[in-house]
Amino acid sequence: METPKGRFWGLFGAAGLLLHDPDRGVLLQHRVSWSAHGGTWGIPGGAIDAGETPLTGAIRECHEEAGVPQLDGSDIRIIHTHVIDMEGWSYTTVVARTLAHLEEYINDIESVELRWVPLSEVTEYPLHPGFAAAWPKLRGVLEG
């Protein structure tokens, strides 16, 4: 989608799920080299489908890429949403706490690796620029 602020993936916007397990940290995805900002770390996410809400899109994308959470969201609790508006396109980060021990696994070709990372160590990774910009606020939500 073309906007005054650039070109973005997903006709209906995009969304990602920032999963937080209080015992393990947040689930990060190491992006494959051929993807946008390949080689960086971010959260599982992608384009929202027609008729889908950012919440259902974030959960579906995370499930498709990391095998978690359950598609009905019964094993997570939503605690916050963070929206970046790019004048005609938006990216929604859905922040959720796990309600059970989730067993993630690489479920598609977009991930090199999935890793639970303690909050204090997230910035030690080469982060996707959008996630890096949002991280201070997102961390504050998780610690607040």
Side-chain angles (χ1 to χ4, degrees), residues 12-86:
F12 306 100
L17 187 62
L18 177 59
L19 282 176
H20 178 241
D21 178 325
D23 295 327
R24 298 184 288 170
V26 293
L27 182 64
L28 294 186
Q29 172 194 47
H30 191 190
R31 302 164 59 83
V32 293
S33 61
W34 51 261
S35 68
H37 301 287
T40 62
W41 291 78
I43 58 174
I48 297 170
D49 290 340
E52 205 171 38
T53 67
L55 172 62
T56 57
I59 289 172
R60 176 189 51 77
E61 282 285 339
C62 190
H63 183 83
E64 288 176 0
E65 296 177 3
V68 294
Q70 294 181 34
L71 285 173
D72 66 3
S74 62
D75 51 357
I76 59 174
R77 180 174 51 89
I78 307 305
I79 60 172
H80 183 75
T81 56
H82 176 73
V83 180
I84 301 295
D85 183 0
M86 301 303 277

